[in-house]
Amino acid sequence: MESMRRLCLFSFYDPNGVVDDYVVHFLGELTRFVDTTVVYVNGDLRPDARLRLAGVASEIIVRPNTGFDVLAYKEGLVRSRFGRDYDEVLLVNHTCYGPIYPFAELFGEMERRECDFWGVTAHKEVTPNPFTGKGTLPYHLNANFIAVRSRMLRSPAFRQYWKAIEGKATYQDAVLEHEAVFTEHFRKAGFTCESYLDCNTYGTDYPALLDADATLEDRNPLLKRRLFFQEPSHLEQYSVDLPRALEIVRRTSGYDTGMIWRNA
């Protein structure tokens, strides 16, 4: 497959309008594989933070802090006419540190895979749905990094999906409106998806969070920020070993963990 022309829609939020080193590094590394990077800032952005982003973004758009990353993605897709000038559109947010391992590994592998959309990690199907206590949470790609290719971008189904997105006021409702249903919706519509890492090879339903160390052993380029502020008893329930994950980063990666601690 020839090198793809890519648009990245990056959703960012910081309660103080600050842009930390990990964001600048993440975008700087990502822009090596992206032709255009548009950063959507939910809420405020300090002048010095804007200058930092300007060095790694093609464009910065500050919007009201509503609808989480979902409405930022929607705005970017509509504004770009659903990426009509690109082969692939990346929907990415600020909720991960990385790349822990070079993005060249990720993009090199995914360019070899035939699919209509893909993600870095995925969540297994779970019954009952942990958000609602009933029904089933379907298998889904984690929404912090999803790539959509041209066949799906240009389809009526893709436009109709986003037209119906309203944006929700709570995190749980936002997940249920988009992240939890996006993958299943488009697979049922006849589109094919791939995950860089196979969630079925790990012991928990949510490997990116609960098996972080094991996914790093498989060279997961992303480390979720939530690991550093998740309610501790939840991590203890699943024996999440964040110290081991950080040791793997230190031992096998050139990533500067100082960026993590400055942000934390």
Side-chain angles (χ1 to χ4, degrees):
M1 185 181 293
E2 295 182 2
S3 182
M4 292 185 173
R5 180 168 167 77
R6 295 187 179 95
L7 165 67
C8 175
L9 303 175
F10 186 83
S11 173
F12 175 77
Y13 167 74
D14 183 272
N16 300 311
V18 172
V19 172
D20 282 338
D21 294 339
Y22 87 93
V23 177
V24 176
H25 178 76
F26 186 103
L27 287 172
E29 292 297 305
L30 190 59
T31 55
R32 297 159 75 178
F33 303 90
V34 172
D35 296 273
T36 306
T37 301
V38 182
V39 176
Y40 280 87
V41 178
N42 286 350
D44 296 326
L45 187 65
R46 288 177 16 176
D48 59 323
R50 178 181 285 274
L51 286 174
R52 301 199 78 198
L53 282 178
V56 289
S58 309
E59 188 175 5
I60 302 164
I61 297 173
V62 179
R63 61 179 303 278
N65 185 24
T66 59
F68 300 91
D69 55 355
V70 186
L71 284 190
Y73 295 152
K74 179 178 180 177
E75 184 175 328
L77 286 166
V78 171
R79 187 169 175 268
S80 69
R81 299 185 181 182
F82 293 88
R84 68 175 186 175
D85 296 327
Y86 300 89
D87 303 307
E88 193 167 77
V89 173
L90 308 180
L91 307 176
V92 183
N93 66 31
H94 71 290
T95 60
C96 291
Y97 300 113
I100 306 301
Y101 305 102
F103 278 137
E105 297 179 12
L106 171 69
F107 287 108
E109 171 61 27
M110 299 316 291
E111 283 185 4
R112 289 189 286 270
R113 299 195 199 179
E114 293 291 336
C115 62
D116 295 305
F117 64 112
W118 59 268
V120 178
T121 55
H123 196 296
K124 295 177 187 176
E125 177 180 296
V126 179
T127 303
N129 187 324
F131 290 103
T132 63
K134 58 185 179 181
T136 297
L137 177 71
Y139 166 90
H140 60 276
L141 300 175
N142 295 131
N144 50 55
F145 198 119
I146 289 180
V148 183
R149 291 180 176 162
S150 57
R151 187 175 88 94
M152 191 162 133
L153 287 169
R154 288 153 180 68
S155 70
F158 193 68
R159 292 172 181 263
Q160 290 164 7
Y161 174 89
W162 286 101
K163 183 178 180 180
I165 291 286
E166 299 175 346
K168 300 298 182 180
T170 69
Y171 171 77
Q172 176 172 311
D173 288 341
V175 170
L176 291 171
E177 182 186 34
H178 170 62
E179 177 173 7
V181 299
F182 180 86
T183 304
E184 181 181 49
H185 178 91
F186 286 104
R187 289 173 83 180
K188 285 184 174 179
F191 297 97
T192 58
C193 80
E194 287 278 342
S195 178
Y196 180 59
L197 298 181
D198 181 0
C199 63
N200 293 312
T201 64
Y202 304 100
T204 68
D205 298 323
Y206 189 1
L209 183 75
L210 303 177
D211 285 307
D213 54 338
T215 69
L216 288 169
E217 288 181 322
D218 293 332
R219 299 186 74 80
N220 181 1
L222 307 178
L223 179 64
K224 290 189 69 65
R225 293 176 65 234
R226 178 170 290 278
L227 285 160
F228 295 84
F229 58 83
Q230 179 77 40
E231 206 282 312
S233 65
H234 181 73
L235 299 181
E236 290 170 4
Q237 178 183 351
Y238 292 94
S239 301
V240 176
D241 196 339
L242 181 55
R244 181 172 186 267
L246 290 170
E247 177 56 31
I248 292 170
V249 173
R250 284 190 288 267
R251 191 175 70 246
T252 66
S253 164
Y255 189 80
D256 176 10
T257 57
M259 291 188 286
I260 295 174
W261 301 117
R262 288 194 293 275
N263 174 243

